[in-house]
Amino acid sequence: MHTSSLDSPPRPEHHTAARFAGVLGLCSVLLLTLVAARWSPLIGADGDIAGTTHRWAVDEPVLTQTCRILTDWVWDPWTMRLLCAAVVAWLVVRQAARWTALWLAGAVALGTVLQQGIKAAVDRPRPVWPDPVDSAHYSAFPSGHAMTATVVCGLLLWLLRRHGVGPVVWRTAVAVAVVSVVGVGLTRIWLGVHWPSDVVGGWLLGTTVVAAAVWVHRHRQP
């Protein structure tokens, strides 16, 4: 199997990442605008879905406790950032890919800053229940768990693909990433700490950051 250096020059491509980032960015801005404007159909759909899943969560305490463990430990944003830090260290020590390591750390940090900035600007209240099964603080939109998992998993998948891993490793990594990104979003809704559009917003914004970061790596790598 041929593996190339992670800091080797990129192959010529037709700006796919830039176009993808642009489309995702527009979708993210549209959803953000609808949330900020309190668009009635969106707010109604959020309320209906959140209300239904909350009733299920109250009626299924074992599943709810499992969701709390997954969201608080396995898929927590700090767990994702620690995973990213481990990969950054591996890139520097084992691969001598310092530029890529800096790029990865910078992209994840940018995603965190973007997420917190939008939360502060939109200041969307979280769901409030008379019988909550979990609690969370600060603004709701976008979901930090969903966005962080999307950014970290997306960037690590791209690095694996670029490194030329075997098909078994690749399929396993894709499966773990998909389960993590989708799973963390669903647990946030199930636990009643986020509206569905918060999670969708986190996924969209996270994917936008990944696409933009990939474009930067392909076209701005020294």
Side-chain angles (χ1 to χ4, degrees):
M1 178 183 66
H2 173 70
T3 58
S4 59
S5 167
L6 291 173
D7 273 350
S8 60
R11 299 175 182 175
E13 299 191 17
H14 296 291
H15 307 292
T16 304
R19 294 194 188 100
F20 195 43
V23 171
L24 288 169
L26 287 174
C27 293
S28 300
V29 170
L30 175 60
L31 179 58
L32 190 155
T33 302
L34 295 177
V35 169
R38 307 291 197 270
W39 190 51
S40 296
L42 177 64
I43 301 302
D46 272 344
D48 291 343
I49 297 171
T52 300
T53 54
H54 178 68
R55 288 193 296 271
W56 292 346
V58 171
D59 293 338
E60 299 290 344
V62 175
L63 180 56
T64 298
Q65 182 60 24
T66 302
C67 288
R68 291 185 67 178
I69 293 171
L70 289 171
T71 197
D72 290 341
W73 296 98
V74 181
W75 297 324
D76 182 77
W78 282 109
T79 303
M80 292 291 167
R81 291 174 190 134
L82 286 174
L83 173 61
C84 174
V87 175
V88 167
W90 176 79
L91 287 169
V92 172
V93 175
R94 299 297 299 273
Q95 296 292 312
R98 293 179 179 81
W99 192 89
T100 295
L102 180 62
W103 164 84
L104 176 60
V108 174
L110 174 63
T112 301
V113 171
L114 180 64
Q115 169 212 131
Q116 294 299 314
I118 294 175
K119 278 180 178 288
V122 176
D123 195 24
R124 187 185 198 186
R126 291 180 184 266
V128 177
W129 311 106
D131 50 351
V133 297
D134 201 357
S135 63
H137 307 287
Y138 201 36
S139 302
F141 185 91
S143 166
H145 282 69
M147 185 171 175
T148 303
T150 302
V151 171
V152 172
C153 291
L155 293 174
L156 295 186
L157 277 181
W158 186 76
L159 286 175
L160 281 176
R161 191 68 169 179
R162 181 181 175 85
H163 193 52
V165 297
V168 175
V169 174
W170 173 248
R171 293 190 191 105
T172 302
V174 169
V176 170
V178 170
V179 169
S180 298
V181 172
V182 175
V184 73
L186 295 181
T187 61
R188 303 309 284 169
I189 299 171
W190 181 271
L191 294 172
V193 294
H194 273 296
W195 306 105
S197 58
D198 299 336
V199 171
V200 175
W203 286 336
L204 279 174
L205 287 164
T207 311
T208 303
V209 171
V210 172
V214 168
W215 183 88
V216 169
H217 196 286
R218 286 173 172 170
H219 298 278
R220 294 293 182 266
Q221 179 182 334

